Amino acid sequence: MKRTRLGVLISGSGSNLQSLIDACAAPDFPAEIKLVLSNKSDAFGLERAAKAGIDRTAVAHKAFPDRESFERALSEKLEAAHVELVILAGFMRILTPYFVERWRDRLVNIHPSLLPSFKGTDTHAQALAAGVKLHGCSVHYVRPGLDDGPIIGQAAVPVLPGDDPKSLAARVLTAEHKLYPACVRAICEGRVKLVNEICEIGGGSGGSSAPLINPAS
Ligand code: GRF
C-alpha cells in the first residue's frame, strides 16, 4: 500500500497531531507523518513527534522579516521531505496566499466549529452566544480567506445546559481527534474529489464514506 507523505504544522499542544500519530500506527492507514514543523520551539507537539520518532523542526516565525519568507522556509522543508499533504493542526499563524496557492488542494485545516458558522477565534464562546444546540468541528481544504475552503468532513457535538467555552471546547476536541484521521484517510484513499469547490466523498472499503460524526440521538 502506498502511504501518502504528511507534513504536520503545529504551534502548541499537538493533541490532533497525536491522534494522527496514533492513526498512522495502524497497518492499513494510508498515510505516514514525515515531518512536524512548529513555529514555537516549546510546543509540546514537538515532544510528541520526538517520542514517535518523527523528524521535527522548530522554525521561529520571528526570525524572518515577513510572513512570506517564513512560509518559504516552511515550504522548503516540506518539499525536502517530499511531503504530499500538509496538515494544519493548531498552527497559529495566518498563512498568506503565497503558501496557500503553493500547496493548493494539498493543504488541509481543522477548525473548531461547524463551518461556515463561527469563523475566526473563540469559536466556542461564539457558539454559546448564538445559542446553537449543535456545535462541532470541520476539516477543510485551505483557501486564502479566513477559515474558508471546501469542507471534507464534520463532527457535531451537543451543546449541553451549563456548558461554558471550556467544557464545550473539550467536547469538540474529543470529536476532532476522531474526525481528522477519518478525513486524512478519505483523502489518502483518493475518495475526496473536488468538483466546483465542493468536496464529493466516495465510499471507502468496508463501507465507510463521508467523514461525518454525529452525537448519539
Ligand atoms: C484545535 O482546537 C484545533 O481545532 C484548532 O487549534 C486546536 C489545536 O489543538 N485549530 P491541539 O494543538 O491539536 O491540541
Side-chain angles (χ1 to χ4, degrees), residues 1-6 23-24 26 28-33 184 188:
M1 179 187 58
K2 189 211 173 274
R3 287 173 176 252
T4 301
R5 300 170 69 91
L6 308 179
C24 288
D28 74 332
F29 198 76
E32 55 187 337
I33 303 173
V184 171
C188 299

Side-chain angles (χ1 to χ4, degrees), residues 25-144:
D28 74 332
F29 198 76
E32 55 187 337
I33 303 173
K34 284 299 184 188
L35 181 63
V36 172
L37 295 177
S38 171
N39 63 311
K40 302 228 169 189
S41 58
D42 59 353
F44 183 61
L46 289 172
E47 289 178 38
R48 297 181 192 267
K51 203 170 162 205
I54 298 168
D55 281 350
R56 68 273 168 200
T57 310
V59 184
H61 60 273
K62 288 184 180 156
F64 295 86
D66 51 42
R67 284 184 195 271
E68 202 171 306
S69 49
F70 166 61
E71 293 173 357
R72 194 168 295 124
L74 294 180
S75 276
E76 280 164 12
K77 291 198 183 313
L78 293 165
E79 277 162 10
H82 304 289
V83 162
E84 296 166 291
L85 180 66
V86 178
I87 310 277
L88 303 179
F91 184 66
M92 300 306 282
R93 302 298 299 165
I94 290 176
L95 293 165
T96 70
Y98 161 76
F99 189 90
V100 172
E101 291 305 332
R102 185 158 172 174
W103 291 94
R104 191 181 175 91
D105 300 343
R106 298 181 297 153
L107 175 63
V108 295
N109 180 44
I110 189 159
H111 179 75
S113 78
L114 291 173
L115 290 171
S117 293
F118 315 135
K119 295 182 175 182
T121 55
D122 299 322
T123 58
H124 311 299
Q126 288 189 54
L128 289 168
V132 294
K133 306 304 177 220
L134 277 177
H135 181 44
C137 49
S138 309
V139 172
H140 63 97
Y141 283 112
V142 176
R143 295 294 183 256

Side-chain angles (χ1 to χ4, degrees), residues 12-17 89-92 109-112 124 173 176-177:
S13 150
S15 68
N16 278 289
L17 165 66
F91 184 66
M92 300 306 282
N109 180 44
I110 189 159
H111 179 75
H124 311 299
L173 193 61
E176 291 182 35
H177 298 158

Side-chain angles (χ1 to χ4, degrees), residues 128-179:
L128 289 168
V132 294
K133 306 304 177 220
L134 277 177
H135 181 44
C137 49
S138 309
V139 172
H140 63 97
Y141 283 112
V142 176
R143 295 294 183 256
L146 179 70
D147 299 321
D148 191 25
I151 293 168
I152 299 158
Q154 295 185 301
V157 302
V159 180
L160 299 177
D163 264 339
D164 59 18
K166 207 171 154 206
S167 62
L168 192 50
R171 196 171 307 120
V172 171
L173 193 61
T174 302
E176 291 182 35
H177 298 158
K178 294 185 193 139
L179 183 69

